[in-house]
């Protein structure tokens, strides 16, 4: 597949356009013929697969099992939990019929009006309802608890304005759904999983996130408490990157799920749910990339090292490719993924630009002088620097370099993020900071939904979270002047 | 989750009921609140995950990449390929609306009549159309070929009569979709993949299959040639377990996908597609299991060895569990998956029956006398035999035993299958064999669709395949007496 190497829009000129072009030109994803649904292309899917495999292991290491629940949910299920229906039974894909037939007028196929479903089916926007309807049959006694299930699935929310990875009608995700005997256990589970997400973002995506609680107005529909990881994009907007919910007994009550406890008493079951989605791809792209294209953390890069021979004529190409293959074998032996690009129909400058666009962390170029000297040119994608190094000890050098790049990308994102958290104590400062600097604003809030909504209407900024490590501090709400006991984080967000 | 240990229906008494009960009681899957859609439970999903991971590696080792295409397909796409529309645009889930709203009469939610889609969307029954519509944008020149993509996805076919795993409205599968510059390459790909399926069935599922071509009447809708792997279940019925299609230029023509070849000429692209689904779970269950429950090939068993202490009192339990944990550590070091069951609320007889039901290949039971003697009781699930063996060298013994069990299960299935292929030369023999013995019938057929259809109407038997290794042999059609040049395999099937 030919890569479009025309210049990317500069991120500074138009961040939103830069992002869209980058996703498409780097071969990550593209829009499809179906409104709001994307095609995830092989290179983008390879990154998602790496994320999946790491997360899946983290879930299993914390005692979870995978299962699979139906794509369709009967419409009536949504009405069972009062706040859930408000949040999710709105913009969704509704299946009303189960058959097509040949058009009597000979124009292709039409919906068969005789094949109308008695009750419409909703393509799952999230699966709490169908899963708790199932758990009802799985749970009788405390011995059946906890249930710690996760599912990898596609979900559909009929979003009006969509953007590749960040907000699409169909997206891929995992959703954990757990059932517990006690409130404490369910709360602990919700907290544990938000920390799993935090660790994944930090250690694999090189993404520093702030862990906190959502304010009541931003909670998941049906949750008693929502934990979130919030990341900061390079344009100063926040991106909610994963959430974990303590659901109380809301779904157990809606679907009548009770268990007999150790004392023989019948009690409602406690619940958590938690999820991350292909939105993480958007977070990954927007956190690290630059005007030359993607910058990928080595731990998630499908190709970690690319090698390009700089040659004249077939004979030279042959000798050089042999040398590069030998180096590649050494790298592979260390578990490093490598590609040798010996294409003869594009110039090496084209190849360089292509791998920069695709965010390959390390590039090696071997020229005729290198062949004589036993050297090779080594270029880093994160810093865009290059140096000529000895071929001797190259595998060890690259192994260490990949760690260094992973670390550097994280530190860069963290220092940017830290520089973009501004403590603000007045409304004027708040508005000015939002408009001129962006980022997170740490400010006092009076704790009411009314104020939260009023601030959002005035500025488009929302409370991203109440950080778990927020210290008690007396102050006054920037909007109402009423008393407040701790700062919360505001930002404009995706 | 409590396991139902009530006696299974005997397979000989009612094979179909035995199967349904087994799937549910062993905790593999169950019906959901949505007609025809199943819930795949953690134990069943763990087996499917193992299958997925092995197949995924086999696909990647043969040069394929994963990608993801939309769940929804515009209705008009189906009309583009004439025979495809006949096969697939029939019983399917049709999305007509994209919004729900509160019922004006206050009864939950209703479909918003204002939110009707301009063009209905079909939940994918298979993805050739949406994928070839996408490939159109990916392919310009021969340098863009081949494209070797696979996707792991859910699909929906609105089946009227469903059975867990074997035929469900929603099922999980993989679908490979490849694009090639030449007919030969596309045919070679379709053949390569059916052999990948054959090897997977043989080496991992312990399932002997017959590889062949489908007769024209049984081909995939839109294919020029369909390859199949056909397995034989213990009740003598065949199960189509995987197919691979040479699609010619049918979809390239339907979606106008052309490429410029080396000589600068514009040509239509050649295609293959191939898939296996959660139906393989049904094949696995029905091929090996018995009246006591599942029999799983060790290579796909989520738990390969289970250990049960036979104890009196907590002190004894403690000592024994410590001993079993030590043995478990040795087994795990060899990559063997182990579970130590120290539950104190069920008797060991209950545990034995539970693990037989769940098909755990090897069971170890440690009693007080074993503690004294340094022995342990070892039971095989496949033969239901047990013996007392020394704890010394146990890990090596079990490692070898798991291989032996894998081999034994395969050989048993193969010898049964071989005994159930009957060569038949007359119509009377054909009907008698079908009714009294079942299995595959190797017989001559005149090669016409009319005869194939007539035989199906008369006996419910279909041509399962024309084996790839079928020898040329002159004969006469069992139904019409017309000349035939090779035998084909008939059977009644799932």
């Amino acid at each position: 597949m030919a890569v479009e190497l025309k210049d990317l829009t500069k991120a500074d000129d138009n961040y939103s356009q830069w992002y869209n072009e980058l996703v498409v030109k780097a071969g990550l994803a593209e829009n499809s013929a179906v409104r709001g649904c994307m095609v995830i292309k092989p290179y983008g899917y390879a990154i998602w697969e790496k994320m999946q495999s790491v997360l899946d292991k983290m879930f299993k290491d914390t005692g979870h099992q995978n299962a699979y629940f139906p794509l369709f949910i009967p419409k009536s299920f949504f009405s069972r939990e009062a706040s859930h229906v408000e949040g999710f039974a709105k913009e969704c894909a509704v299946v009303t019929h189960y058959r097509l037939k040949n058009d009597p007028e000979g124009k292709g196929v039409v919906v068969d009006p005789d094949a109308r479903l008695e009750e419409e089916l909703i393509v799952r926007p999230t699966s709490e309802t169908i899963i708790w309807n199932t758990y009802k049959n799985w749970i009788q006694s405390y011995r059946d608890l906890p249930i710690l299930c996760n599912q990898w699935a596609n979900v559909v929310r009929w979003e009006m304005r969509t953007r590749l990875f960040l907000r699409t009608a169909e997206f891929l995700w995992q959703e954990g759904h757990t059932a517990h005997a006690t409130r404490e256990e369910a709360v602990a589970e919700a907290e544990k999983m938000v920390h799993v997400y935090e660790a994944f973002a930090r250690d694999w995506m090189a993404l520093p996130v702030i862990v906190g609680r959502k304010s009541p107005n931003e909670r998941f529909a049906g949750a008693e408490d929502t934990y979130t990881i919030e990341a900061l994009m390079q344009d100063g907007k926040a991106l909610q990157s994963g959430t974990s919910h303590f659901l109380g007994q809301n779904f157990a009550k809606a679907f009548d799920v009770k268990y007999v406890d150790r004392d023989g008493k019948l009690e409602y079951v406690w619940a958590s749910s938690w999820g991350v989605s292909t939105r993480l791809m958007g977070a990954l792209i927007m956190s690290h990339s630059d005007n030359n294209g993607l910058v990928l953390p080595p731990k998630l890069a499908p190709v970690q090292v690319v090698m390009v021979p700089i040659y004249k004529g077939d004979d030279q190409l042959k000798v050089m490719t042999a040398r590069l293959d030998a180096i590649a074998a050494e790298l592979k032996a260390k578990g490093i993924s490598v590609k040798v690009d010996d294409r003869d129909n594009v110039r090496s400058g084209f190849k360089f630009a292509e791998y920069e666009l695709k965010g390959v962390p390390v590039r090696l170029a071997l020229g005729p002088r290198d062949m004589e000297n036993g050297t090779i040119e080594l270029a880093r994608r994160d810093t865009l620097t290059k140096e000529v190094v000895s071929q001797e000890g190259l595998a060890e050098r690259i192994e260490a370099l990949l760690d260094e790049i992973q670390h550097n990308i994280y530190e860069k994102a963290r220092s940017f993020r830290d520089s973009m958290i501004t403590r603000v104590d007045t409304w004027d400062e708040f508005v000015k900071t939002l408009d001129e600097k962006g980022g997170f604003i740490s400010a006092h809030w009076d704790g009411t939904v009314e104020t939260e909504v009023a601030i959002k209407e005035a500025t488009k900024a929302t409370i991203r979270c109440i950080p778990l490590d927020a210290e008690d501090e007396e102050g006054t709400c920037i909007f109402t002047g009423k008393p407040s006991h701790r700062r919360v984080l505001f930002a404009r967000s995706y």
Side-chain angles (χ1 to χ4, degrees), chain A:
Chain A
M1 286 158 255
V3 174
E4 274 292 326
L5 290 178
K6 282 176 209 152
D7 278 354
L8 267 182
T9 293
K10 299 264 179 288
D12 286 342
D13 291 347
N14 186 335
Y15 194 78
S16 168
Q17 193 173 324
W18 164 83
Y19 172 80
N20 290 340
E21 286 181 15
L22 178 52
V23 170
V24 173
K25 290 186 177 182
L28 299 175
E30 64 187 31
N31 286 308
S32 77
V34 182
R35 209 194 127 281
C37 292
M38 65 181 160
V39 172
I40 307 179
K41 298 181 75 174
Y43 192 60
Y45 201 84
I47 300 171
W48 175 242
E49 271 183 313
K50 288 206 164 221
M51 290 189 179
Q52 274 192 301
S53 111
V54 174
L55 282 166
D56 196 69
K57 182 165 187 317
M58 293 175 91
F59 299 156
K60 285 176 178 155
D61 287 347
T62 45
H64 302 87
Q65 294 181 298
N66 288 327
Y68 188 77
F69 298 87
L71 171 67
F72 300 128
I73 302 179
K75 190 188 65 180
S76 60
F77 278 24
F78 285 95
S79 311
R80 300 249 203 124
E81 212 285 325
S83 56
H84 195 67
V85 68
E86 288 303 313
F88 286 103
K90 288 276 170 68
E91 315 293 329
C92 50
V94 186
V95 177
T96 56
H97 291 74
Y98 58 85
R99 197 187 304 132
L100 297 174
K101 61 173 192 175
N102 290 322
D103 182 355
E105 292 170 30
K107 290 178 188 157
V109 284
V110 294
V111 177
D112 183 345
D114 294 339
R116 194 178 170 86
L117 289 168
E118 274 185 46
E119 179 180 2
E120 295 89 351
L121 296 173
I122 311 303
V123 179
R124 62 182 162 219
T126 182
S127 301
E128 277 77 7
T129 55
I130 187 94
I131 288 180
W132 278 86
N133 185 67
T134 307
Y135 281 178
K136 181 177 170 52
N137 303 319
W138 294 6
I139 299 169
Q140 278 92 40
S141 114
Y142 69 94
R143 292 202 180 268
D144 301 322
L145 297 172
I147 294 177
L148 304 172
C149 275
N150 175 62
Q151 109 170 330
W152 291 96
N154 52 345
V155 285
V156 172
R157 299 175 186 177
W158 208 267
E159 304 285 353
M160 282 299 130
R161 299 185 58 186
T162 61
R163 299 190 62 190
L164 293 166
F165 291 123
L166 295 174
R167 194 176 293 279
T168 47
E170 182 193 16
F171 56 93
L172 304 184
W173 81 344
Q174 60 68 218
E175 45 182 325
H177 294 273
T178 68
H180 305 268
T182 66
R183 164 188 279 273
E184 293 65 37
E185 227 185 274
V187 169
E189 167 79 10
E191 283 187 5
K192 181 199 282 177
M193 298 319 290
V194 81
H195 288 299
V196 165
Y197 291 154
E198 177 193 23
F200 172 74
R202 180 189 62 223
D203 299 340
W204 293 85
M205 297 174 66
L207 188 65
V209 294
I210 293 170
V211 184
R213 279 192 171 79
K214 284 292 185 187
S215 55
N217 199 45
E218 297 281 330
R219 263 183 211 141
F220 176 78
E224 293 202 1
D225 214 347
T226 288
Y227 299 86
T228 179
I229 55 170
E230 297 284 326
L232 194 70
M233 304 298 99
Q234 293 176 89
D235 64 346
K237 283 166 83 176
L239 184 76
Q240 176 181 306
S241 304
T243 50
S244 179
H245 317 291
F246 166 59
L247 302 172
Q249 295 175 315
N250 294 341
F251 288 91
K253 285 177 179 165
F255 290 90
D256 194 31
V257 188
K258 293 179 188 168
Y259 75 100
V260 178
D261 73 10
R262 279 168 198 272
D263 306 322
K265 272 199 333 204
L266 209 56
E267 299 279 358
Y268 283 110
V269 176
W270 298 86
S272 93
S273 69
W274 29 274
V276 293
S277 72
T278 36
R279 186 169 228 224
L280 286 180
M281 292 287 296
L284 186 74
I285 297 160
M286 285 206 293
S287 307
H288 308 305
S289 303
D290 62 24
N291 289 332
N292 292 21
L294 278 182
V295 174
L296 292 176
K299 283 184 174 182
L300 294 177
V303 177
Q304 296 173 309
V305 178
V306 66
M307 302 184 181
V308 179
I310 317 288
Y311 65 96
K312 277 191 187 133
D314 278 355
D315 288 349
Q316 220 175 49
L317 175 60
K318 216 167 161 181
V319 180
M320 284 184 178
T321 303
R323 188 78 227 40
L324 291 178
D325 285 343
I327 297 171
E330 278 185 69
L331 292 173
K332 282 178 195 163
K334 289 187 175 289
I336 296 167
S337 60
V338 193
K339 179 177 171 175
V340 177
D341 183 349
D342 59 359
R343 279 179 297 172
D344 61 2
N345 64 316
V346 291
R347 285 167 304 106
S348 42
F350 178 95
K351 294 180 185 177
F352 288 8
E354 176 174 337
Y355 296 114
E356 280 182 7
L357 182 61
K358 295 201 150 208
V360 177
V362 171
R363 184 184 74 221
L364 297 172
L366 185 73
R369 185 169 299 173
D370 293 314
M371 286 297 283
E372 281 171 29
N373 300 348
T375 56
I376 198 160
E377 187 188 83
L378 184 159
R380 278 173 71 153
R381 176 61 185 92
D382 61 333
T383 56
L384 291 170
T385 53
K386 49 191 184 182
E387 57 179 328
V388 173
V389 302
S390 170
Q391 288 175 31
E392 218 166 292
L394 188 59
E396 289 72 23
R397 178 191 281 265
I398 286 175
E399 194 176 30
L401 180 60
L402 291 172
D403 284 343
E404 190 186 321
I405 293 172
Q406 181 84 24
H407 180 74
N408 180 54
I409 291 176
Y410 175 78
E411 283 303 326
K412 199 176 155 198
R414 192 172 67 95
S415 91
F416 172 72
R417 194 272 315 266
D418 289 350
S419 76
M420 293 292 279
I421 303 177
T422 312
R423 285 167 72 98
V424 151
D425 291 309
T426 68
W427 181 247
D428 284 353
E429 262 185 294
F430 184 89
V431 173
K432 190 163 180 261
T433 307
L434 261 183
D435 287 343
E436 293 177 6
K437 183 181 176 188
F440 289 116
I441 301 186
S442 175
H444 280 283
W445 159 64
D446 65 18
T448 69
V449 172
E450 298 73 47
T451 301
E452 196 180 348
V453 171
I455 293 174
K456 183 175 178 180
E457 278 173 10
T459 64
K460 289 186 184 156
T462 49
I463 299 176
R464 300 319 304 156
C465 70
I466 304 152
L468 288 193
D469 60 4
E471 285 166 22
D472 289 347
E473 181 193 298
E474 296 305 311
T476 56
C477 173
I478 38 142
F479 192 72
T480 62
K482 288 183 188 163
S484 153
H485 311 296
R486 72 185 56 77
R487 289 173 185 270
V488 300
L489 286 186
F490 288 88
R492 289 187 181 133
S493 71
Y494 280 92

